[in-house]
Amino acid sequence: MSVQERKERERAGRERLILATARELAEQQGWDAVTTRRLAERIEYSQPVLYSHFRGKREIIGAVALEGAAEMAAALRAAASAADGPRARVTALARAYLDFAERNPAVYDAMFQLDGGLAFAQEDTPEPLKDAFAALLENLGEVAGDGVHPGLFTEVFWAALHGLATLTRAGRLPPGDAERRTELLVDRLAVV
């Protein structure tokens, strides 16, 4: 292994450590607790080392969002592939989405609530974000209904899932009806 390859591997390892630590801190104490000073203390590197990887918290949030998008896409595809038939796939997809949001609140916030400097629904949208949307579209396009553009249907279904995830987490919806909400969403929006 060359010196350059070793340095690149060490740099990538530091970057993974920074992101893992930021995620852990955000999940435990919220994103307000994630500062470059606290990260530097936790990973035992100087703040200039952190700044050599990320220009600040916004870039860290963006990097966590991209990791989260890749993880969500994998979870959505796994759930849908394990289901049999269009209705079961859409139901599994909805449950997987809501489960991801519930299990990873800080990552979900990085993806959809906080400013990570990422473009959505544009030419320069990063690939992991496009792929997460594609994981929804792959399974929702077949249930959009006649004359309904699959991408538009996917946006509306995604918006409904996001609303359920956000309102449930904020305590605005009674927790006992989560499964019924998912079934209602699938029954009323998907043509299966």
Side-chain angles (χ1 to χ4, degrees), residues 40-60:
E41 288 171 2
R42 285 218 174 174
I43 64 173
E44 299 177 347
Y45 283 109
S46 66
Q47 285 182 298
V49 169
L50 264 70
Y51 285 118
S52 74
H53 290 272
F54 301 99
R55 288 184 294 220
K57 183 175 177 177
R58 182 179 187 218
E59 280 192 8
I60 292 170

Side-chain angles (χ1 to χ4, degrees), residues 10-22:
E10 289 171 356
R11 180 174 177 76
R14 280 192 308 272
E15 197 164 292
R16 283 191 303 275
L17 179 61
I18 292 165
L19 293 178
T21 305

Side-chain angles (χ1 to χ4, degrees), residues 61-75:
I61 290 169
V64 167
L66 294 178
E67 283 184 351
E71 292 166 12
M72 177 183 273

Side-chain angles (χ1 to χ4, degrees), residues 22-179:
R23 285 176 70 157
E24 179 183 318
L25 190 56
E27 292 292 357
Q28 291 171 352
Q29 300 177 31
W31 279 102
D32 287 342
V34 178
T35 64
T36 54
R37 177 180 289 171
R38 286 181 106 179
L39 287 174
E41 288 171 2
R42 285 218 174 174
I43 64 173
E44 299 177 347
Y45 283 109
S46 66
Q47 285 182 298
V49 169
L50 264 70
Y51 285 118
S52 74
H53 290 272
F54 301 99
R55 288 184 294 220
K57 183 175 177 177
R58 182 179 187 218
E59 280 192 8
I60 292 170
I61 290 169
V64 167
L66 294 178
E67 283 184 351
E71 292 166 12
M72 177 183 273
L76 295 174
R77 286 188 175 105
S81 70
D84 187 30
R87 186 181 197 298
R89 275 192 296 279
V90 173
T91 301
L93 188 78
R95 287 179 183 143
Y97 183 99
L98 295 170
D99 183 58
F100 181 89
E102 182 182 346
R103 285 185 297 104
N104 304 282
V107 173
Y108 192 82
D109 284 350
M111 292 168 65
F112 300 120
Q113 304 289 95
L114 302 174
D115 179 11
L118 304 173
F120 281 81
Q122 298 176 19
E123 289 284 324
D124 59 341
T125 297
E127 201 54 44
L129 297 179
K130 289 179 182 178
D131 190 50
F133 184 79
L136 290 169
L137 179 62
E138 291 162 8
N139 295 287
L140 294 173
E142 68 181 325
V143 298
D146 293 336
V148 178
H149 187 276
L152 185 61
F153 177 79
T154 301
E155 290 171 351
V156 171
F157 201 91
W158 172 30
L161 289 172
H162 176 70
L164 287 174
T166 304
L167 292 170
T168 299
R169 185 166 148 216
R172 302 291 195 260
L173 298 175
D177 291 326
E179 186 61 32

Side-chain angles (χ1 to χ4, degrees), residues 87 91 94 157 160 164 177-190:
R87 186 181 197 298
T91 301
F157 201 91
L164 287 174
D177 291 326
E179 186 61 32
R180 288 180 53 208
R181 284 186 202 93
T182 301
E183 292 295 324
L184 183 61
L185 175 65
V186 172
D187 287 344
R188 296 295 187 227
L189 287 183

